[in-house]
Amino acid sequence: MQSFTEENYLKAIYTLSTAENQSVSTNAIAEKLTTKASSVTDMLKKLADKKLIHYEKYQGAELTRKGKKIAINIIRKHRLWEVFLVNHLNFKWDEVHDVAEELEHINSEKLIDSLDRFLNFPQFDPHGDPIPDKEGKVYHHKEISVKDLRVGESGIIVGVKEHHPDFLRYLENAELLLGTNIKVLKIFEWDNSIKIKCDKKQELTISEKVAGNLYIKKMLKK
Amino acid sequence: MQSFTEENYLKAIYTLSTAENQSVSTNAIAEKLTTKASSVTDMLKKLADKKLIHYEKYQGAELTRKGKKIAINIIRKHRLWEVFLVNHLNFKWDEVHDVAEELEHINSEKLIDSLDRFLNFPQFDPHGDPIPDKEGKVYHHKEISVKDLRVGESGIIVGVKEHHPDFLRYLENAELLLGTNIKVLKIFEWDNSIKIKCDKKQELTISEKVAGNLYIKKMLKK
DNA sequence: AAAACAATTTAGATAAGCCTAAAAATATAT
DNA sequence: ATATATTTTTAGGCTTATCTAAATTGTTTT
Ligand SMILES: [Mn+2]
Ligand SMILES: [Mn+2]
Ligand SMILES: [Mn+2]
Ligand SMILES: [Mn+2]
Protein backbone atom coordinates (compact mmCIF):
# COMPACT_ATOMS: atom_id res chain seq x y z
CA MET A 1 0.00 0.00 0.00
CA GLN A 2 1.20 3.48 -0.79
CA SER A 3 0.29 7.03 0.14
CA PHE A 4 -1.62 9.53 -1.99
CA THR A 5 1.62 11.31 -2.64
CA GLU A 6 3.42 8.21 -3.82
CA GLU A 7 0.48 7.40 -6.08
CA ASN A 8 0.64 10.86 -7.60
CA TYR A 9 4.33 10.48 -8.34
CA LEU A 10 3.75 7.10 -10.00
CA LYS A 11 0.96 8.51 -12.11
CA ALA A 12 3.09 11.50 -13.11
CA ILE A 13 5.96 9.24 -14.16
CA TYR A 14 3.56 7.09 -16.14
CA THR A 15 1.96 9.93 -18.06
CA LEU A 16 5.29 11.61 -18.72
CA SER A 17 6.94 8.42 -19.94
CA THR A 18 4.24 7.28 -22.33
CA ALA A 19 4.91 10.46 -24.20
CA GLU A 20 8.54 9.48 -24.77
CA ASN A 21 8.57 5.87 -23.59
CA GLN A 22 11.77 6.16 -21.67
CA SER A 23 13.13 7.43 -18.39
CA VAL A 24 11.60 10.60 -16.96
CA SER A 25 13.69 13.48 -15.66
CA THR A 26 13.53 14.87 -12.15
CA ASN A 27 12.66 18.32 -13.42
CA ALA A 28 9.83 17.04 -15.58
CA ILE A 29 8.25 15.36 -12.58
CA ALA A 30 8.77 18.45 -10.43
CA GLU A 31 7.01 20.60 -13.00
CA LYS A 32 4.12 18.16 -13.43
CA LEU A 33 3.50 18.02 -9.70
CA THR A 34 4.37 21.68 -9.08
CA THR A 35 6.95 20.78 -6.50
CA LYS A 36 10.72 21.23 -6.27
CA ALA A 37 13.36 19.03 -7.84
CA SER A 38 14.87 18.29 -4.44
CA SER A 39 11.55 16.93 -3.19
CA VAL A 40 11.35 14.75 -6.27
CA THR A 41 14.80 13.32 -5.64
CA ASP A 42 13.76 12.33 -2.11
CA MET A 43 10.67 10.59 -3.39
CA LEU A 44 12.48 8.83 -6.24
CA LYS A 45 14.81 7.24 -3.70
CA LYS A 46 11.86 6.07 -1.71
CA LEU A 47 10.00 4.67 -4.71
CA ALA A 48 13.16 2.90 -5.83
CA ASP A 49 13.51 1.31 -2.36
CA LYS A 50 9.98 0.03 -2.75
CA LYS A 51 10.84 -1.39 -6.19
CA LEU A 52 8.22 0.76 -7.86
CA ILE A 53 10.70 2.52 -10.14
CA HIS A 54 14.15 1.97 -11.59
CA TYR A 55 16.29 4.88 -10.58
CA GLU A 56 19.91 5.78 -10.87
CA LYS A 57 21.33 9.10 -9.78
CA TYR A 58 21.21 11.71 -12.53
CA GLN A 59 19.60 9.19 -14.90
CA GLY A 60 15.93 9.81 -14.25
CA ALA A 61 13.22 7.31 -13.34
CA GLU A 62 11.32 4.54 -15.08
CA LEU A 63 8.42 2.52 -13.69
CA THR A 64 8.91 -1.13 -12.83
CA ARG A 65 6.19 -3.56 -13.83
CA LYS A 66 4.78 -3.22 -10.32
CA GLY A 67 4.88 0.57 -10.39
CA LYS A 68 3.27 0.69 -13.81
CA LYS A 69 0.44 -1.53 -12.67
CA ILE A 70 -0.33 0.82 -9.80
CA ALA A 71 -0.16 3.90 -12.03
CA ILE A 72 -2.52 2.38 -14.60
CA ASN A 73 -4.95 1.37 -11.89
CA ILE A 74 -5.10 4.93 -10.60
CA ILE A 75 -5.79 6.18 -14.11
CA ARG A 76 -8.51 3.55 -14.45
CA LYS A 77 -10.14 4.83 -11.29
CA HIS A 78 -9.76 8.47 -12.32
CA ARG A 79 -11.48 7.89 -15.65
CA LEU A 80 -14.26 5.69 -14.32
CA TRP A 81 -15.13 8.34 -11.74
CA GLU A 82 -15.16 10.96 -14.49
CA VAL A 83 -17.69 8.87 -16.41
CA PHE A 84 -19.82 8.61 -13.29
CA LEU A 85 -19.72 12.33 -12.65
CA VAL A 86 -20.67 13.24 -16.21
CA ASN A 87 -23.18 10.52 -16.94
CA HIS A 88 -24.96 10.36 -13.61
CA LEU A 89 -24.26 13.50 -11.59
CA ASN A 90 -24.64 16.06 -14.39
CA PHE A 91 -21.11 17.37 -14.26
CA LYS A 92 -19.80 19.03 -17.41
CA TRP A 93 -16.63 17.57 -18.92
CA ASP A 94 -14.67 20.63 -17.85
CA GLU A 95 -15.70 20.23 -14.20
CA VAL A 96 -14.72 16.66 -13.41
CA HIS A 97 -10.97 16.63 -13.25
CA ASP A 98 -10.30 18.01 -9.78
CA VAL A 99 -12.85 15.82 -8.05
CA ALA A 100 -11.63 12.75 -9.95
CA GLU A 101 -8.14 13.67 -8.81
CA GLU A 102 -9.32 13.00 -5.24
CA LEU A 103 -11.60 10.05 -5.93
CA GLU A 104 -8.86 8.17 -7.78
CA HIS A 105 -7.10 7.51 -4.47
CA ILE A 106 -9.99 5.68 -2.81
CA ASN A 107 -8.83 2.13 -2.30
CA SER A 108 -11.39 -0.62 -2.76
CA GLU A 109 -11.34 -3.18 -5.48
CA LYS A 110 -14.96 -4.03 -4.87
CA LEU A 111 -15.89 -0.37 -5.18
CA ILE A 112 -14.20 0.15 -8.49
CA ASP A 113 -15.38 -3.13 -9.98
CA SER A 114 -18.94 -2.36 -8.95
CA LEU A 115 -18.67 1.13 -10.35
CA ASP A 116 -17.35 -0.29 -13.62
CA ARG A 117 -20.36 -2.61 -13.86
CA PHE A 118 -22.77 0.15 -12.83
CA LEU A 119 -21.40 2.32 -15.65
CA ASN A 120 -21.67 -0.59 -18.05
CA PHE A 121 -17.95 -1.12 -18.58
CA PRO A 122 -17.24 2.10 -20.45
CA GLN A 123 -14.26 2.10 -22.81
CA PHE A 124 -13.62 5.82 -22.81
CA ASP A 125 -13.90 8.68 -20.36
CA PRO A 126 -15.71 11.97 -21.10
CA HIS A 127 -12.61 13.33 -22.83
CA GLY A 128 -12.24 10.34 -25.11
CA ASP A 129 -9.35 8.86 -23.12
CA PRO A 130 -9.31 5.07 -22.95
CA ILE A 131 -10.16 3.41 -19.64
CA PRO A 132 -7.71 0.63 -18.72
CA ASP A 133 -9.40 -2.67 -17.96
CA LYS A 134 -9.16 -4.58 -14.69
CA GLU A 135 -6.00 -6.32 -15.83
CA GLY A 136 -4.35 -3.03 -16.74
CA LYS A 137 -4.62 -3.28 -20.50
CA VAL A 138 -4.96 0.10 -22.18
CA TYR A 139 -6.13 0.71 -25.69
CA HIS A 140 -4.19 3.62 -27.16
CA HIS A 141 -5.78 5.30 -30.10
CA LYS A 142 -3.68 6.60 -32.91
CA GLU A 143 -3.72 10.28 -32.06
CA ILE A 144 -4.56 11.77 -35.44
CA SER A 145 -5.71 15.36 -35.12
CA VAL A 146 -7.75 17.61 -37.35
CA LYS A 147 -4.43 19.10 -38.45
CA ASP A 148 -3.65 15.81 -40.20
CA LEU A 149 -6.66 16.08 -42.49
CA ARG A 150 -6.43 17.50 -46.00
CA VAL A 151 -9.06 19.58 -47.66
CA GLY A 152 -12.08 17.46 -48.47
CA GLU A 153 -11.30 14.77 -45.91
CA SER A 154 -13.47 14.16 -42.86
CA GLY A 155 -13.38 12.52 -39.44
CA ILE A 156 -15.22 12.03 -36.19
CA ILE A 157 -14.03 13.71 -32.99
CA VAL A 158 -12.89 10.98 -30.60
CA GLY A 159 -10.89 12.89 -28.01
CA VAL A 160 -8.99 15.94 -26.90
CA LYS A 161 -5.28 16.31 -26.34
CA GLU A 162 -5.39 19.36 -24.08
CA HIS A 163 -7.77 19.09 -21.08
CA HIS A 164 -7.76 22.69 -19.92
CA PRO A 165 -11.27 23.72 -18.81
CA ASP A 166 -11.11 26.82 -21.00
CA PHE A 167 -10.47 24.70 -24.06
CA LEU A 168 -13.25 22.27 -23.12
CA ARG A 169 -15.71 25.11 -22.66
CA TYR A 170 -14.68 26.58 -26.00
CA LEU A 171 -15.44 23.26 -27.66
CA GLU A 172 -18.76 22.95 -25.92
CA ASN A 173 -19.69 26.42 -27.03
CA ALA A 174 -18.74 25.63 -30.63
CA GLU A 175 -20.60 22.31 -30.40
CA LEU A 176 -17.41 20.44 -31.17
CA LEU A 177 -18.15 17.45 -28.95
CA LEU A 178 -17.10 13.81 -29.07
CA GLY A 179 -18.85 12.04 -31.92
CA THR A 180 -19.18 15.15 -34.04
CA ASN A 181 -18.42 14.65 -37.73
CA ILE A 182 -16.01 17.18 -39.16
CA LYS A 183 -15.20 17.91 -42.80
CA VAL A 184 -12.30 20.14 -43.77
CA LEU A 185 -13.46 22.75 -46.30
CA LYS A 186 -10.46 25.04 -46.54
CA ILE A 187 -7.06 25.63 -44.97
CA PHE A 188 -5.87 29.23 -44.72
CA GLU A 189 -2.13 29.20 -45.33
CA TRP A 190 -1.71 32.54 -43.60
CA ASP A 191 -2.18 31.19 -40.03
CA ASN A 192 -3.09 27.56 -40.76
CA SER A 193 -6.59 28.09 -39.49
CA ILE A 194 -9.10 25.63 -40.86
CA LYS A 195 -12.62 26.10 -42.10
CA ILE A 196 -14.72 23.06 -41.24
CA LYS A 197 -18.27 21.84 -41.53
CA CYS A 198 -19.82 19.96 -38.60
CA ASP A 199 -22.50 17.30 -38.87
CA LYS A 200 -23.86 18.85 -42.06
CA LYS A 201 -24.96 21.86 -40.03
CA GLN A 202 -22.73 24.80 -39.22
CA GLU A 203 -19.55 25.96 -40.85
CA LEU A 204 -16.83 27.48 -38.68
CA THR A 205 -13.17 28.30 -38.68
CA ILE A 206 -10.87 26.92 -36.00
CA SER A 207 -7.32 27.93 -35.18
CA GLU A 208 -4.29 25.74 -35.76
CA LYS A 209 -3.99 25.25 -32.01
CA VAL A 210 -7.56 24.00 -31.69
CA ALA A 211 -7.14 21.70 -34.69
CA GLY A 212 -4.01 20.15 -33.17
CA ASN A 213 -5.80 19.40 -29.93
CA LEU A 214 -8.80 17.67 -31.48
CA TYR A 215 -8.25 13.96 -31.98
CA ILE A 216 -10.29 12.39 -34.73
CA LYS A 217 -10.98 9.07 -36.34
CA LYS A 218 -10.50 9.53 -40.05
CA MET A 219 -13.47 8.66 -42.25
CA LEU A 220 -13.26 7.09 -45.66
CA LYS A 221 -14.09 9.49 -48.47
CA LYS A 222 -17.37 8.96 -50.19
CA MET B 1 -9.93 23.72 5.12
CA GLN B 2 -8.74 20.92 7.37
CA SER B 3 -6.87 17.64 7.00
CA PHE B 4 -8.41 14.17 7.01
CA THR B 5 -7.04 13.73 10.49
CA GLU B 6 -8.60 16.88 11.83
CA GLU B 7 -11.91 15.90 10.27
CA ASN B 8 -11.76 12.53 11.96
CA TYR B 9 -11.16 14.14 15.33
CA LEU B 10 -14.11 16.49 14.85
CA LYS B 11 -16.35 13.60 13.86
CA ALA B 12 -15.21 11.57 16.86
CA ILE B 13 -15.91 14.44 19.24
CA TYR B 14 -19.33 14.92 17.67
CA THR B 15 -20.41 11.29 17.92
CA LEU B 16 -19.07 10.96 21.46
CA SER B 17 -20.76 14.11 22.66
CA THR B 18 -24.21 13.48 21.27
CA ALA B 19 -24.24 10.45 23.54
CA GLU B 20 -23.80 12.65 26.63
CA ASN B 21 -24.24 16.14 25.21
CA GLN B 22 -21.30 17.61 27.03
CA SER B 23 -17.52 17.81 26.88
CA VAL B 24 -15.65 14.76 25.65
CA SER B 25 -12.64 13.34 27.47
CA THR B 26 -9.20 12.92 25.98
CA ASN B 27 -9.22 9.21 26.68
CA ALA B 28 -12.59 8.69 25.04
CA ILE B 29 -11.32 10.30 21.85
CA ALA B 30 -8.10 8.30 22.00
CA GLU B 31 -10.04 5.07 22.27
CA LYS B 32 -12.45 5.99 19.48
CA LEU B 33 -9.61 6.80 17.10
CA THR B 34 -7.32 4.04 18.40
CA THR B 35 -4.54 6.48 19.11
CA LYS B 36 -2.78 7.63 22.28
CA ALA B 37 -4.00 10.23 24.74
CA SER B 38 -0.89 12.32 24.18
CA SER B 39 -1.61 12.52 20.46
CA VAL B 40 -5.13 13.62 21.27
CA THR B 41 -3.91 16.40 23.53
CA ASP B 42 -1.72 17.73 20.73
CA MET B 43 -4.61 17.76 18.32
CA LEU B 44 -7.04 19.33 20.78
CA LYS B 45 -4.68 22.27 21.16
CA LYS B 46 -4.55 22.64 17.42
CA LEU B 47 -8.32 22.42 16.97
CA ALA B 48 -8.79 24.96 19.74
CA ASP B 49 -6.38 27.33 17.98
CA LYS B 50 -8.52 26.99 14.88
CA LYS B 51 -11.64 27.75 16.94
CA LEU B 52 -13.16 24.41 16.05
CA ILE B 53 -13.47 23.26 19.66
CA HIS B 54 -13.61 24.74 23.12
CA TYR B 55 -10.80 23.23 25.13
CA GLU B 56 -9.35 23.79 28.55
CA LYS B 57 -6.58 21.69 30.01
CA TYR B 58 -7.86 18.65 31.86
CA GLN B 59 -11.46 19.63 31.06
CA GLY B 60 -12.10 17.83 27.80
CA ALA B 61 -13.32 19.20 24.49
CA GLU B 62 -16.56 20.50 23.06
CA LEU B 63 -17.28 21.47 19.47
CA THR B 64 -17.81 25.12 18.60
CA ARG B 65 -20.61 25.96 16.20
CA LYS B 66 -18.07 25.96 13.38
CA GLY B 67 -16.59 22.59 14.42
CA LYS B 68 -20.01 21.05 14.75
CA LYS B 69 -20.97 22.19 11.28
CA ILE B 70 -17.93 20.49 9.80
CA ALA B 71 -18.53 17.30 11.77
CA ILE B 72 -22.15 17.09 10.66
CA ASN B 73 -21.18 17.69 7.06
CA ILE B 74 -18.75 14.79 7.16
CA ILE B 75 -21.46 12.56 8.59
CA ARG B 76 -23.80 13.74 5.85
CA LYS B 77 -21.25 12.73 3.23
CA HIS B 78 -20.54 9.39 4.92
CA ARG B 79 -24.20 8.43 4.98
CA LEU B 80 -24.99 9.62 1.47
CA TRP B 81 -22.12 7.54 0.11
CA GLU B 82 -23.41 4.54 2.07
CA VAL B 83 -26.78 4.93 0.39
CA PHE B 84 -25.08 5.08 -3.00
CA LEU B 85 -23.03 1.97 -2.31
CA VAL B 86 -26.01 -0.07 -1.15
CA ASN B 87 -28.65 1.17 -3.56
CA HIS B 88 -26.58 1.42 -6.72
CA LEU B 89 -23.38 -0.59 -6.36
CA ASN B 90 -24.85 -3.70 -4.72
CA PHE B 91 -22.92 -3.44 -1.49
CA LYS B 92 -24.41 -5.14 1.55
CA TRP B 93 -25.05 -2.97 4.60
CA ASP B 94 -22.21 -4.65 6.45
CA GLU B 95 -19.71 -3.83 3.70
CA VAL B 96 -20.09 -0.09 3.29
CA HIS B 97 -18.55 1.47 6.34
CA ASP B 98 -14.83 1.34 5.53
CA VAL B 99 -15.22 2.70 2.02
CA ALA B 100 -17.56 5.44 3.24
CA GLU B 101 -14.93 6.27 5.83
CA GLU B 102 -12.64 7.26 2.93
CA LEU B 103 -15.25 8.81 0.65
CA GLU B 104 -16.52 11.13 3.41
CA HIS B 105 -13.33 13.19 3.10
CA ILE B 106 -13.74 14.08 -0.56
CA ASN B 107 -14.28 17.80 -0.70
CA SER B 108 -16.69 19.11 -3.28
CA GLU B 109 -19.98 20.75 -2.53
CA LYS B 110 -21.16 20.22 -6.07
CA LEU B 111 -20.33 16.54 -5.81
CA ILE B 112 -22.28 15.94 -2.65
CA ASP B 113 -25.27 18.02 -3.71
CA SER B 114 -25.44 16.19 -7.03
CA LEU B 115 -25.11 12.86 -5.26
CA ASP B 116 -27.93 13.85 -2.91
CA ARG B 117 -30.16 14.67 -5.87
CA PHE B 118 -29.13 11.50 -7.73
CA LEU B 119 -30.11 9.45 -4.68
CA ASN B 120 -33.39 11.35 -4.44
CA PHE B 121 -32.65 13.15 -1.19
CA PRO B 122 -32.68 10.12 1.09
CA GLN B 123 -33.57 10.74 4.74
CA PHE B 124 -31.82 7.69 6.20
CA ASP B 125 -28.75 5.65 5.46
CA PRO B 126 -28.74 1.83 5.09
CA HIS B 127 -28.49 1.43 8.86
CA GLY B 128 -31.44 3.69 9.56
CA ASP B 129 -29.28 6.60 10.66
CA PRO B 130 -30.62 10.03 9.70
CA ILE B 131 -28.84 11.97 6.95
CA PRO B 132 -28.24 15.61 7.88
CA ASP B 133 -29.53 18.05 5.29
CA LYS B 134 -27.47 20.63 3.44
CA GLU B 135 -27.92 23.14 6.26
CA GLY B 136 -26.77 20.66 8.87
CA LYS B 137 -30.12 19.86 10.40
CA VAL B 138 -30.32 16.32 11.75
CA TYR B 139 -33.45 14.46 12.63
CA HIS B 140 -32.78 12.31 15.68
CA HIS B 141 -35.16 9.50 16.23
CA LYS B 142 -36.16 8.58 19.73
CA GLU B 143 -33.98 5.49 20.14
CA ILE B 144 -36.55 3.07 21.45
CA SER B 145 -35.30 -0.51 21.20
CA VAL B 146 -37.08 -3.86 21.15
CA LYS B 147 -36.15 -4.10 24.83
CA ASP B 148 -38.59 -1.29 25.55
CA LEU B 149 -41.55 -3.25 24.24
CA ARG B 150 -43.82 -5.24 26.52
CA VAL B 151 -45.42 -8.56 25.64
CA GLY B 152 -48.07 -8.04 23.00
CA GLU B 153 -46.67 -4.74 21.74
CA SER B 154 -45.20 -4.35 18.29
CA GLY B 155 -42.96 -2.05 16.27
CA ILE B 156 -41.15 -1.58 12.99
CA ILE B 157 -37.37 -1.86 12.80
CA VAL B 158 -36.01 1.58 11.92
CA GLY B 159 -32.33 1.29 12.76
CA VAL B 160 -29.48 -0.42 14.55
CA LYS B 161 -27.43 0.86 17.46
CA GLU B 162 -24.40 -1.35 17.00
CA HIS B 163 -22.91 -1.34 13.46
CA HIS B 164 -20.50 -4.24 13.77
CA PRO B 165 -20.52 -6.28 10.53
CA ASP B 166 -21.07 -9.51 12.48
CA PHE B 167 -24.23 -8.08 14.02
CA LEU B 168 -25.46 -6.80 10.66
CA ARG B 169 -24.89 -10.19 9.05
CA TYR B 170 -26.72 -11.89 11.91
CA LEU B 171 -29.69 -9.62 11.29
CA GLU B 172 -29.62 -10.26 7.58
CA ASN B 173 -29.55 -13.98 8.17
CA ALA B 174 -32.49 -13.75 10.58
CA GLU B 175 -34.32 -11.48 8.12
CA LEU B 176 -34.47 -8.75 10.70
CA LEU B 177 -34.10 -5.86 8.28
CA LEU B 178 -35.23 -2.25 8.32
CA GLY B 179 -38.96 -2.04 7.84
CA THR B 180 -39.65 -5.44 9.37
CA ASN B 181 -42.63 -5.53 11.72
CA ILE B 182 -41.92 -7.17 15.07
CA LYS B 183 -44.34 -8.33 17.72
CA VAL B 184 -43.16 -9.40 21.16
CA LEU B 185 -44.69 -12.76 22.08
CA LYS B 186 -42.84 -13.65 25.26
CA ILE B 187 -40.01 -12.47 27.45
CA PHE B 188 -37.94 -15.14 29.19
CA GLU B 189 -37.05 -13.77 32.61
CA TRP B 190 -34.10 -16.17 32.92
CA ASP B 191 -31.86 -14.29 30.45
CA ASN B 192 -34.22 -11.60 29.15
CA SER B 193 -34.29 -13.18 25.72
CA ILE B 194 -37.38 -12.32 23.72
CA LYS B 195 -39.57 -14.42 21.49
CA ILE B 196 -40.83 -12.35 18.60
CA LYS B 197 -42.92 -12.75 15.49
CA CYS B 198 -41.83 -11.01 12.28
CA ASP B 199 -44.13 -9.79 9.52
CA LYS B 200 -46.71 -12.46 10.30
CA LYS B 201 -44.23 -15.07 9.14
CA GLN B 202 -41.54 -16.62 11.31
CA GLU B 203 -41.21 -16.75 15.07
CA LEU B 204 -37.77 -16.50 16.61
CA THR B 205 -36.04 -15.79 19.88
CA ILE B 206 -33.47 -13.04 20.14
CA SER B 207 -31.03 -12.32 22.95
CA GLU B 208 -31.22 -9.31 25.24
CA LYS B 209 -28.17 -7.88 23.51
CA VAL B 210 -29.76 -8.13 20.06
CA ALA B 211 -33.00 -6.60 21.35
CA GLY B 212 -31.14 -3.65 22.84
CA ASN B 213 -29.42 -2.91 19.55
CA LEU B 214 -32.55 -2.92 17.40
CA TYR B 215 -34.21 0.47 17.20
CA ILE B 216 -37.91 0.42 16.46
CA LYS B 217 -40.84 2.70 15.90
CA LYS B 218 -43.55 1.62 18.24
CA MET B 219 -46.85 0.68 16.65
CA LEU B 220 -50.24 1.32 18.12
CA LYS B 221 -51.89 -1.80 19.43
CA LYS B 222 -54.80 -3.04 17.46
C1' DA C 1 -6.35 15.50 54.72
C1' DA C 2 -3.12 12.41 52.99
C1' DA C 3 -2.24 8.57 50.12
C1' DA C 4 -3.18 6.03 46.12
C1' DC C 5 -4.93 5.75 41.67
C1' DA C 6 -6.47 7.45 37.23
C1' DA C 7 -6.55 10.83 33.64
C1' DT C 8 -4.16 14.18 31.19
C1' DT C 9 -0.38 16.86 29.66
C1' DT C 10 4.55 17.71 28.61
C1' DA C 11 9.12 16.43 26.92
C1' DG C 12 11.64 14.52 23.61
C1' DA C 13 11.76 11.37 19.30
C1' DT C 14 10.48 9.69 14.78
C1' DA C 15 8.76 9.46 9.84
C1' DA C 16 6.73 11.61 5.72
C1' DG C 17 6.81 15.22 2.68
C1' DC C 18 8.10 19.51 1.67
C1' DC C 19 11.38 23.67 1.36
C1' DT C 20 15.95 26.73 0.39
C1' DA C 21 20.69 27.10 -0.47
C1' DA C 22 24.91 24.99 -1.73
C1' DA C 23 27.53 21.35 -3.96
C1' DA C 24 28.19 17.99 -7.56
C1' DA C 25 27.40 16.01 -12.01
C1' DT C 26 26.07 16.46 -16.70
C1' DA C 27 25.28 18.94 -20.97
C1' DT C 28 26.34 22.75 -24.12
C1' DA C 29 28.99 26.32 -26.25
C1' DT C 30 33.12 28.35 -27.50
C1' DA D 1 39.23 20.81 -24.31
C1' DT D 2 37.72 24.21 -21.40
C1' DA D 3 34.45 27.31 -19.71
C1' DT D 4 29.66 28.08 -18.92
C1' DA D 5 25.09 26.79 -18.13
C1' DT D 6 21.75 23.48 -16.72
C1' DT D 7 20.22 19.65 -14.13
C1' DT D 8 20.24 16.99 -10.19
C1' DT D 9 21.55 15.79 -5.66
C1' DT D 10 22.85 16.78 -0.84
C1' DA D 11 22.66 19.24 3.53
C1' DG D 12 20.03 21.11 6.84
C1' DG D 13 15.33 22.79 8.33
C1' DC D 14 10.28 22.93 8.90
C1' DT D 15 5.45 21.01 9.74
C1' DT D 16 2.08 17.45 10.77
C1' DA D 17 0.83 13.59 13.12
C1' DT D 18 2.40 10.06 15.60
C1' DC D 19 4.74 7.57 19.70
C1' DT D 20 6.90 6.39 24.69
C1' DA D 21 8.16 7.82 29.11
C1' DA D 22 7.92 11.10 32.67
C1' DA D 23 5.62 14.78 35.09
C1' DT D 24 1.45 16.94 36.49
C1' DT D 25 -3.34 17.43 37.77
C1' DG D 26 -7.68 15.55 39.26
C1' DT D 27 -10.41 12.03 41.76
C1' DT D 28 -11.16 8.39 45.20
C1' DT D 29 -10.28 6.01 49.11
C1' DT D 30 -8.98 5.53 53.64
MN1 LIG E 1 -9.04 14.09 -15.64
MN1 LIG F 1 -10.41 12.50 -18.52
MN1 LIG G 1 -20.80 3.91 8.50
MN1 LIG H 1 -24.38 4.08 8.38
Side-chain angles (χ1 to χ4, degrees):
Chain A
M1 204 81 304
Q2 53 296 315
S3 67
F4 281 25
T5 311
E6 287 169 336
E7 290 187 347
N8 283 334
Y9 272 89
L10 293 174
K11 195 174 58 143
I13 296 168
Y14 178 81
T15 52
L16 290 168
S17 70
T18 44
E20 304 142 43
N21 199 25
Q22 48 169 181
S23 87
V24 179
S25 79
T26 302
N27 267 357
I29 298 168
E31 194 183 5
K32 184 101 189 173
L33 299 175
T34 49
T35 184
K36 300 293 154 137
S38 55
S39 305
V40 175
T41 301
D42 284 349
M43 182 58 86
L44 293 184
K45 285 177 188 165
K46 194 172 146 195
L47 293 174
D49 284 349
K50 292 191 174 188
K51 311 277 185 203
L52 297 174
I53 61 169
H54 299 297
Y55 168 63
E56 271 179 291
K57 269 189 184 184
Y58 295 99
Q59 299 311 127
E62 202 181 342
L63 293 174
T64 60
R65 185 178 304 241
K66 198 174 153 201
K68 190 173 175 180
K69 200 174 169 182
I70 294 169
I72 289 176
N73 194 244
I74 295 163
I75 289 168
R76 168 172 158 79
K77 291 191 279 178
H78 182 104
R79 294 181 181 166
L80 283 172
W81 280 115
E82 286 191 344
V83 173
F84 173 67
L85 294 173
V86 168
N87 291 3
H88 296 278
L89 298 195
N90 291 110
F91 276 64
K92 297 282 180 58
W93 69 343
D94 59 290
E95 299 173 318
V96 294
H97 188 74
D98 292 349
V99 182
E101 209 61 31
E102 294 193 46
L103 285 164
E104 71 187 4
H105 299 292
I106 304 285
N107 268 317
S108 163
E109 205 177 314
K110 183 176 168 62
L111 171 64
I112 212 65
D113 290 348
S114 306
L115 184 66
D116 197 17
R117 191 180 323 112
F118 173 78
L119 298 171
N120 233 271
F121 308 105
Q123 309 253 32
F124 301 97
D125 84 358
H127 312 101
D129 294 313
I131 297 174
D133 69 17
K134 223 190 128 156
E135 276 68 45
K137 277 184 200 109
V138 200
Y139 166 84
H140 289 287
H141 49 219
K142 293 159 233 109
E143 312 204 339
I144 300 169
S145 81
V146 175
K147 263 175 93 170
D148 302 312
L149 291 180
R150 278 167 298 181
V151 171
E153 290 184 319
S154 52
I156 290 177
I157 302 177
V158 296
V160 290
K161 187 174 184 187
E162 174 64 59
H163 285 59
H164 194 291
D166 286 346
F167 178 52
L168 298 177
R169 278 193 289 268
Y170 161 84
L171 292 178
E172 190 150 41
N173 190 258
E175 296 187 55
L176 290 167
L177 302 174
L178 300 195
T180 303
N181 199 305
I182 281 181
K183 186 175 184 177
V184 172
L185 300 179
K186 192 167 166 39
I187 298 173
F188 300 97
E189 304 289 340
W190 166 248
D191 62 352
N192 291 312
S193 62
I194 303 173
K195 190 177 184 182
I196 58 175
K197 191 179 182 185
C198 301
D199 277 338
K200 288 140 199 163
K201 286 180 295 193
Q202 340 114 60
E203 283 182 9
L204 76 160
T205 301
I206 60 176
S207 71
E208 183 181 17
K209 189 173 177 189
V210 167
N213 279 296
L214 268 185
Y215 289 141
I216 52 151
K217 189 175 157 199
K218 217 163 161 180
M219 295 273 92
L220 297 174
K221 267 187 229 170
K222 53 183 174 185
Chain B
M1 202 85 302
Q2 53 297 316
S3 68
F4 281 27
T5 311
E6 287 169 334
E7 290 188 347
N8 282 333
Y9 273 88
L10 293 175
K11 195 174 56 145
I13 295 167
Y14 178 81
T15 52
L16 290 169
S17 70
T18 44
E20 303 141 45
N21 199 24
Q22 49 170 180
S23 87
V24 179
S25 79
T26 303
N27 268 357
I29 298 168
E31 193 183 6
K32 183 99 189 174
L33 298 176
T34 49
T35 185
K36 302 293 155 136
S38 56
S39 305
V40 174
T41 300
D42 283 349
M43 183 58 87
L44 293 185
K45 285 178 190 165
K46 194 173 148 197
L47 294 175
D49 284 349
K50 292 190 173 189
K51 312 276 185 204
L52 297 173
I53 60 170
H54 298 296
Y55 168 63
E56 271 180 291
K57 269 192 184 184
Y58 295 100
Q59 301 310 126
E62 203 182 341
L63 294 173
T64 59
R65 186 178 301 241
K66 199 174 155 200
K68 190 173 177 183
K69 199 173 170 184
I70 294 170
I72 288 177
N73 194 244
I74 296 163
I75 289 168
R76 168 171 157 82
K77 292 191 278 178
H78 183 103
R79 293 180 182 165
L80 283 171
W81 280 115
E82 285 191 344
V83 173
F84 173 67
L85 295 172
V86 167
N87 291 5
H88 296 280
L89 297 194
N90 291 113
F91 276 64
K92 298 281 180 58
W93 70 343
D94 58 290
E95 298 173 319
V96 295
H97 188 74
D98 292 349
V99 181
E101 209 61 30
E102 294 194 47
L103 286 163
E104 71 187 6
H105 300 291
I106 304 285
N107 269 315
S108 163
E109 203 178 314
K110 182 175 168 63
L111 172 63
I112 214 64
D113 290 347
S114 305
L115 185 65
D116 197 17
R117 190 179 326 112
F118 173 79
L119 298 172
N120 234 271
F121 308 105
Q123 307 255 33
F124 300 97
D125 85 356
H127 313 100
D129 293 314
I131 297 174
D133 70 15
K134 225 191 128 157
E135 276 69 44
K137 279 187 200 104
V138 200
Y139 165 85
H140 289 286
H141 47 220
K142 291 158 235 111
E143 312 206 336
I144 301 170
S145 79
V146 174
K147 263 175 92 172
D148 301 312
L149 291 180
R150 279 167 296 179
V151 172
E153 290 185 319
S154 51
I156 290 177
I157 302 177
V158 295
V160 291
K161 187 175 183 187
E162 174 63 61
H163 285 60
H164 193 293
D166 288 346
F167 177 53
L168 298 176
R169 279 193 289 269
Y170 161 84
L171 293 179
E172 190 151 41
N173 190 258
E175 296 186 56
L176 290 168
L177 302 176
L178 300 196
T180 304
N181 197 307
I182 281 181
K183 185 176 184 177
V184 172
L185 301 179
K186 195 167 164 35
I187 298 172
F188 300 97
E189 304 290 340
W190 166 248
D191 63 351
N192 290 313
S193 62
I194 302 173
K195 191 177 185 182
I196 58 176
K197 190 179 184 185
C198 301
D199 276 340
K200 289 140 199 165
K201 287 180 297 193
Q202 340 114 60
E203 283 181 8
L204 78 160
T205 301
I206 59 176
S207 71
E208 183 181 18
K209 190 174 176 188
V210 167
N213 279 296
L214 269 184
Y215 289 140
I216 53 151
K217 190 177 157 196
K218 217 162 162 181
M219 294 274 91
L220 297 175
K221 264 187 225 171
K222 53 182 175 187

